[in-house]
């Protein structure tokens, strides 16, 4: 597990640097800078909208007496996607947009729920009260 994390820690910045070099070679340095700023602004706007939507669903489920487990995981996806959208880079923007976008978010939710389930079965996941 730690090896995967270290590999991603090295690979993602290298891919981002390559992306900046490639895109700036195609459209120019200032246009690349502007594109990064615009994607961050659009990402913030989309994230705010989706976070409000998910939060409203969580509140509705709680008021009806249901436990909003899946919606809370969706909220985590939206939050992580928003953080990735604020991080400069094209790879992180692509992952961030897919985490925030409602049609692709269930893919991430599925894997997060599987990860949580596996941790709970192994006894490696602790809930503090």
């Amino acid at each position: 597990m730690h090896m995967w994390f270290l590999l991603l820690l090295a690979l993602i910045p290298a891919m981002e640097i390559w992306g900046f070099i490639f895109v700036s070679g195609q459209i120019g340095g200032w246009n690349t800078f502007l594109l990064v700023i615009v994607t961050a602004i659009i990402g913030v706007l989309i994230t705010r909208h989706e976070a409000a939507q998910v939060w409203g669903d969580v509140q509705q489920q709680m008021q009806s007496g249901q436990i909003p487990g899946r919606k809370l995981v969706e909220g985590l996806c939206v939050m992580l996607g928003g953080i990735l959208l604020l991080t400069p880079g094209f790879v992180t923007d692509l992952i961030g947009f897919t985490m925030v976008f409602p049609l692709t978010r269930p893919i991430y939710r599925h894997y997060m729920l599987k990860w949580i389930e596996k941790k709970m079965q192994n006894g490696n996941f602790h809930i503090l009260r």
Side-chain angles (χ1 to χ4, degrees):
M1 178 69 172
H2 296 297
M3 193 61 151
W4 281 106
F5 181 72
L6 291 175
L7 182 65
L8 285 175
L9 198 60
L11 191 61
I12 290 176
M15 291 182 349
E16 295 292 9
I17 291 169
W18 179 84
F20 283 129
I21 292 169
F22 178 77
V23 172
S24 67
Q26 299 295 314
I27 64 173
W30 285 109
N31 288 335
T32 302
F33 176 73
L34 184 63
L35 182 62
V36 170
I37 298 299
V38 167
T39 58
I41 291 169
I42 292 171
V44 166
L45 295 174
I46 292 172
T47 301
R48 286 182 63 195
H49 177 265
E50 290 301 318
Q53 190 81 18
V54 169
W55 182 247
D57 292 345
V58 166
Q59 287 181 328
Q60 182 181 10
Q61 285 183 345
M62 288 176 65
Q63 288 175 351
S64 67
Q66 299 173 339
I67 299 173
R70 287 183 183 263
K71 286 296 177 181
L72 288 175
V73 174
E74 281 198 25
L76 182 61
C77 288
V78 171
M79 183 185 74
L80 291 174
I83 291 169
L84 289 173
L85 286 167
L86 287 175
T87 305
F90 298 111
V91 175
T92 53
D93 282 350
L94 179 65
I95 296 168
F97 275 121
T98 58
M99 288 184 93
V100 171
F101 192 61
L103 295 177
T104 53
R105 190 181 322 137
I107 297 167
Y108 293 100
R109 183 188 68 208
H110 171 75
Y111 286 111
M112 289 176 115
L113 287 172
K114 287 285 187 188
W115 178 79
I116 290 170
E117 181 181 330
K118 182 179 174 185
K119 289 292 184 182
M120 290 177 78
Q121 287 176 350
N122 292 341
N124 296 332
F125 193 82
H126 302 283
I127 298 174
L128 302 175
R129 292 184 188 187

